[in-house]
Amino acid sequence: MNEITKHAPAPAPTSSAACSVPLAAPIAVLAELTHRCPLQCPYCSNPLMLEKANVELKTEDWQRVFTEAAALGVLQVHFSGGEPTLRTDLAALVKHANGLGLYTNLITSGVLLDAKKLAALVDAGLDHVQLSFQDSEAENANRIGHYKGGHEKKVAVAALIRAAGLPLTMNAVVHRQNLDHLAEIIALADKIDASRLEVAHVQYYGWALKNRAALMPTRAQLDRATAMVDAARIRLKGRLVIDYVVPDYYAKRPKKCMDGWGRHFFNVSPAGKVLPCHAAESIDGLKFDSVRERSVEWIWANSEAFNRFRGTDWMPEPCRSCDRRELDFGGCRCQAFALTGSAGNTDPACELSSNHQAMFEAALADAASGEPNYVYRRIGGA
Amino acid sequence: MEPIKVGATSRIVLPRHVKLKHDTVRDRWILLAPERVLNPDETSLEIVRMLDGVCSVGDIVGTLAVKYNAPSEVILVDVIGMLQDLCDKGFLVSAETVATHAGRTS
């Protein structure tokens, strides 16, 4: 079997000229229904400039987006936010997407869910829930999310999700201030009967970049965590699937960010902006199109933001002549912008980048800083 | 979720959260799961379609042995290998352990 997304991507196009490769259809869409959220995690993937409730797309706008996305070839919709369960039309949107044959996944903090809301989502055809945890134990988890009682609610909601017959992925974003609890985090995933666990090291753009000194793990922490995940995968084989997202500040080669820019994925913001990745707005000077003005199909093919870094033509050296250029597509554009000032540069996570050493030293300095305090994610907080 | 050891007597099914679906835009059959899309080859697809929660792995192998006029011992090893791999990755489960919508297609 050929796993198309995430771990074993489809074969890359053989030509290096982006314009000569037929444009592939997208596979997945991340629908950020709202930026409103009761939690205030300091590594939130939402932009620093959060969109307010009064600019959010209406139910019929989202339904049109899903209809157009399915027609274009999208197979999976991830309902996300902010906190997507704040949208009172969530079940209606799930039902619409399900009716189109789309695979529906809810990405939630869980703190606003109850048995009644879950039953409505099951009736609407929801396929899967991804529930976030900030730590394995309440005190630190609630400090990270800045939400009293949140962890306890999540544990209770996990049981409701399983009782409703929904499969569960536990998502744990890890960093210096919770990484030493990784063994307990893995045990919690098993205890709440998750079939899948995402151990995702913080990726540093937006809020997380602002909080980098408080979040960056030490090299020793990272090495221990990686070994622990490797051992747990063997120990829990057939019982718990563990996905592991590594922090690239300590890497030698960059991650294949978004599986390549504008290749399989797009993100729709609460107000309808279509982005090649959820952090793309952190890049200055990119022009994004909106589903309020254009169809999804038009945007996928023509939007300047998508075409700017699609394929390999945009690449500078050392990417342009690198034999890995279609394996990692030059890494992460947002990280290149954040750390070098130009999104068109090689991702400094690559050791061939002239900025690589500075990135590595920044990680060491941040990890050693001992900074305990977070800048919490909230409107006006940046 | 308990680990599954696939054998000739196992009855294996698709769990509720894995969907076998025809991808009309790309004209191919796929298995959809959270954050994953599998593109089964013809043989795997044929086997997955036979996972109805009633037939055992041995029954499926018997059917294939007749259809392809091949020794069932050889087929059994291949089928168990393929099903075990998909069980370990969470794409398939034992019919006994989980309430399922077996063979749910769209």
Side-chain angles (χ1 to χ4, degrees):
Chain A
M1 293 223 183
N2 181 13
E3 203 162 336
I4 299 164
T5 55
K6 198 131 190 173
H7 295 285
T14 48
S15 166
S16 64
C19 54
S20 67
V21 179
L23 180 61
I27 289 171
V29 55
L30 186 74
E32 289 182 344
L33 300 182
T34 180
H35 279 162
R36 292 172 285 143
C37 187
L39 271 67
Q40 301 182 14
C41 306
Y43 44 73
C44 181
S45 64
N46 288 157
L48 294 173
M49 292 302 289
L50 296 163
E51 292 173 0
K52 294 183 182 165
N54 61 0
V55 301
E56 288 176 10
L57 293 178
K58 295 189 172 20
T59 309
E60 56 270 27
D61 300 325
W62 278 114
Q63 288 174 335
R64 176 176 59 82
V65 167
F66 298 141
T67 301
E68 292 176 356
L72 188 57
V74 164
L75 303 169
Q76 295 172 319
V77 179
H78 304 287
F79 294 93
S80 183
E83 177 45 57
T85 61
L86 277 164
R87 289 278 302 216
T88 54
D89 57 355
L90 178 62
L93 296 178
V94 169
K95 186 173 182 183
H96 183 83
N98 187 57
L100 295 162
L102 294 167
Y103 192 94
T104 54
N105 179 28
L106 175 64
I107 299 175
T108 181
S109 71
V111 298
L112 304 174
L113 277 172
D114 56 34
K116 195 178 159 197
K117 283 183 189 166
L118 275 168
L121 292 169
V122 171
D123 286 347
L126 184 66
D127 289 308
H128 179 267
V129 179
Q130 178 179 315
L131 183 63
S132 68
F133 279 85
Q134 280 66 41
D135 200 341
S136 57
E137 52 94 18
E139 188 184 347
N140 199 40
N142 294 339
R143 189 179 85 85
I144 293 166
H146 203 59
Y147 186 81
K148 200 177 170 191
H151 183 79
E152 296 86 338
K153 281 188 184 167
K154 286 162 182 277
V155 173
V157 161
L160 292 177
I161 290 167
R162 294 297 294 124
L166 286 165
L168 177 62
T169 288
M170 171 172 159
N171 170 271
V173 174
V174 292
H175 47 85
R176 190 175 73 244
Q177 297 200 45
N178 67 5
L179 202 47
D180 291 339
H181 299 159
L182 182 58
E184 292 81 6
I185 289 171
I186 294 169
L188 178 61
D190 199 32
K191 188 180 161 197
I192 63 173
D193 197 25
S195 48
R196 186 164 151 266
L197 167 66
E198 282 187 1
V199 178
H201 282 274
V202 169
Q203 306 292 308
Y204 295 96
Y205 356 87
W207 292 96
L209 187 59
K210 217 170 189 36
N211 282 293
R212 199 176 67 184
L215 297 168
M216 182 65 71
T218 66
R219 183 63 200 249
Q221 274 184 312
L222 169 62
D223 290 345
R224 276 199 302 275
T226 304
M228 194 174 284
V229 167
D230 286 344
R233 278 176 168 162
I234 294 166
R235 183 164 45 86
L236 298 169
K237 187 179 176 186
R239 187 175 166 88
L240 179 70
V241 175
I242 305 179
D243 284 353
Y244 189 54
V245 179
V246 297
D248 50 10
Y249 273 61
Y250 293 118
K252 287 193 163 65
R253 295 292 184 192
K255 60 182 177 259
K256 187 185 191 180
C257 197
M258 308 318 294
D259 215 20
W261 184 272
R263 234 171 131 245
H264 290 149
F265 173 90
F266 63 92
N267 180 101
V268 183
S269 83
K273 276 184 277 187
V274 184
L275 317 172
C277 90
H278 51 262
E281 285 180 280
S282 67
I283 299 173
D284 287 349
L286 276 187
K287 185 180 168 294
F288 303 104
D289 288 284
S290 169
V291 296
R292 292 186 198 275
E293 281 119 39
R294 300 282 192 176
S295 71
V296 172
E297 185 181 12
W298 187 94
I299 293 171
W300 181 253
N302 300 295
S303 180
E304 179 191 315
F306 280 82
N307 286 327
R308 178 75 182 81
F309 299 113
R310 205 171 235 153
T312 54
D313 276 2
W314 61 272
M315 288 179 177
E317 291 295 354
C319 298
R320 179 174 280 271
S321 60
C322 181
D323 59 8
R324 293 179 56 85
R325 66 184 178 276
E326 288 178 348
L327 295 177
D328 59 34
F329 287 92
C332 173
R333 298 303 88 227
C334 302
Q335 187 149 277
F337 178 79
L339 298 184
T340 75
S342 169
N345 282 339
T346 297
D347 183 345
C350 182
E351 66 180 351
L352 301 175
S353 160
S354 57
N355 297 294
H356 181 71
Q357 188 60 27
M359 179 181 188
F360 180 67
E361 283 166 12
L364 293 179
D366 281 342
S369 73
E371 171 61 49
N373 295 317
Y374 303 124
V375 178
Y376 285 110
R377 173 257 198 227
R378 58 172 79 116
I379 287 176
Chain B
M1 191 171 83
E2 288 306 314
I4 302 158
K5 179 90 177 73
V6 180
T9 58
S10 308
R11 291 185 301 120
I12 304 294
V13 289
L14 291 171
R16 183 189 183 281
H17 66 281
V18 177
K19 284 179 164 174
L20 178 64
K21 176 184 150 67
H22 186 248
D23 177 356
T24 49
V25 170
R26 299 167 188 86
D27 191 22
R28 61 179 183 181
W29 284 87
I30 51 170
L31 281 172
L32 280 170
E35 301 224 15
R36 283 178 171 72
V37 181
L38 279 194
N39 186 12
D41 58 31
E42 220 169 287
T43 316
S44 303
L45 181 61
E46 183 172 12
I47 296 164
V48 167
R49 280 182 165 149
M50 293 165 83
L51 301 172
D52 59 2
V54 179
C55 294
S56 69
V57 172
D59 296 336
I60 291 169
V61 169
T63 306
L64 294 172
V66 171
K67 183 174 175 186
Y68 294 106
N69 192 23
S72 50
E73 317 84 74
V74 177
I75 297 180
L76 182 67
V77 172
D78 289 349
V79 170
I80 287 177
M82 176 230 149
L83 292 176
Q84 185 69 58
D85 182 50
L86 286 179
C87 285
D88 290 345
K89 289 176 179 165
F91 282 93
L92 298 174
V93 293
S94 166
E96 283 85 16
T97 53
V98 184
T100 64
H101 298 189
R104 193 161 68 138
T105 60
S106 56

